[in-house]
């Protein structure tokens, strides 16, 4: 039986888009369940800001995204604005069954083609391609909204703190730049059982900043 995993992502995240190519390859070895979540709710739960909300880090992050795309040969064009509200895109994905087809189509609309996707009108074309003719009605469905909340709650309960996150067994791997680490762990699943990894997992806190 293939190993099972959950992939937590948000369409606001360019790193989620960048990891898609690797996710495709891992799906040949892993049974991966895609989990669209509201990254903003995860940040709020942990009292954090997103990288695009911090001056300086925002500019560096965009440059890092562009560089990763170019070096990996992944076509990428930033949407007209960022951050943008991803809720409509997340709900459309769920309304379309949260299938890999819908995930690819919406990510391509936003991050490959660099198009807007913050409301029903901006997502109408990709919605029709996915068989969702009335995007406005679909994304305002109580069932769709409830599913997104449930996915996000499940992510928080699992310990997810950022996107993309791949959860395999008891292991959580955060970020596209952790992809080589995941590949190594798949080849060496006992990697983190050594004495040093156990030690740093329980390293005492030396100082805490006042909040």
């Amino acid at each position: 039986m293939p190993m099972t995993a959950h992939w937590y992502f948000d369409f606001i995240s360019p790193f989620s888009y960048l990891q898609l190519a690797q996710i495709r390859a891992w799906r040949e070895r892993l049974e991966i369940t895609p989990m669209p979540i509201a990254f903003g709710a995860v940040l709020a739960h942990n009292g954090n800001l997103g990288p695009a909300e911090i001056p300086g880090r925002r500019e560096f992050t965009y440059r890092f995204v562009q560089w990763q795309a170019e070096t990996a040969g992944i076509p990428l064009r930033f949407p007209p604005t960022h951050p943008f509200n991803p809720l409509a895109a997340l709900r459309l994905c769920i309304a379309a069954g949260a299938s890999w087809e819908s995930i690819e189509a919406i990510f391509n609309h936003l991050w490959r083609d660099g198009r807007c996707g913050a409301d029903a009108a901006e997502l109408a074309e990709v919605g029709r391609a996915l068989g969702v003719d009335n995007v406005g009605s679909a994304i305002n469905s109580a069932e769709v909204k409830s599913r997104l909340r449930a996915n996000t709650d499940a992510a928080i309960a699992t310990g997810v703190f950022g996107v993309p996150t791949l959860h395999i067994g008891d292991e959580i791997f955060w970020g596209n730049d952790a992809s080589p680490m995941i590949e190594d762990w798949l080849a060496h699943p006992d990697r983190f059982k050594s004495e040093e990894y156990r030690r740093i997992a329980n390293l005492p806190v030396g100082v805490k900043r006042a909040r």
Side-chain angles (χ1 to χ4, degrees), residues 8-182:
Y8 297 91
F9 68 92
D10 188 333
F11 291 109
I12 199 171
S13 165
F15 295 110
S16 295
Y17 168 70
L18 291 174
Q19 196 175 49
L20 255 184
Q22 189 61 61
I23 291 292
R24 275 186 228 109
W26 287 329
R27 284 173 60 206
E28 297 180 3
R29 290 181 283 168
L30 298 171
E31 187 177 305
I32 302 176
T33 300
M35 299 285 285
I37 65 171
F39 179 41
V42 174
L43 289 173
H45 174 81
N46 290 304
N48 293 332
L49 294 174
E53 297 176 287
I54 303 170
R57 185 175 179 182
R58 179 178 191 260
E59 292 77 12
F60 175 81
T61 297
Y62 293 169
R63 179 179 289 185
F64 190 37
V65 166
Q66 190 67 41
W67 177 83
Q68 282 196 14
E70 289 177 1
T71 55
I74 297 173
L76 178 141
R77 180 176 178 82
F78 271 77
T81 63
H82 192 273
F84 58 85
N85 189 334
L87 289 178
L90 290 163
R91 292 173 185 169
L92 173 59
C93 176
I94 291 170
S99 64
W100 289 108
E101 177 190 8
S102 65
I103 293 165
E104 297 261 4
I106 296 169
F107 266 123
N108 286 343
H109 174 88
L110 295 166
W111 288 103
R112 185 194 65 190
D113 303 336
R115 300 177 66 180
C116 298
D119 58 34
E122 293 170 351
L123 293 166
E125 182 180 328
V126 67
R128 285 193 297 271
L130 293 170
V132 181
D133 293 328
N134 190 334
V135 173
S137 176
I139 66 176
N140 285 296
S141 158
E143 181 181 354
V144 166
K145 292 180 179 180
S146 177
R147 172 50 58 190
L148 180 58
R149 284 194 296 270
N151 283 359
T152 305
D153 289 344
I156 291 170
T158 297
V160 171
F161 53 86
V163 289
T165 289
L166 190 66
H167 179 215
I168 317 173
D170 295 328
E171 303 296 342
I172 289 179
F173 297 93
W174 165 58
N176 179 52
D177 46 355
S179 294
M181 187 184 189
I182 298 170

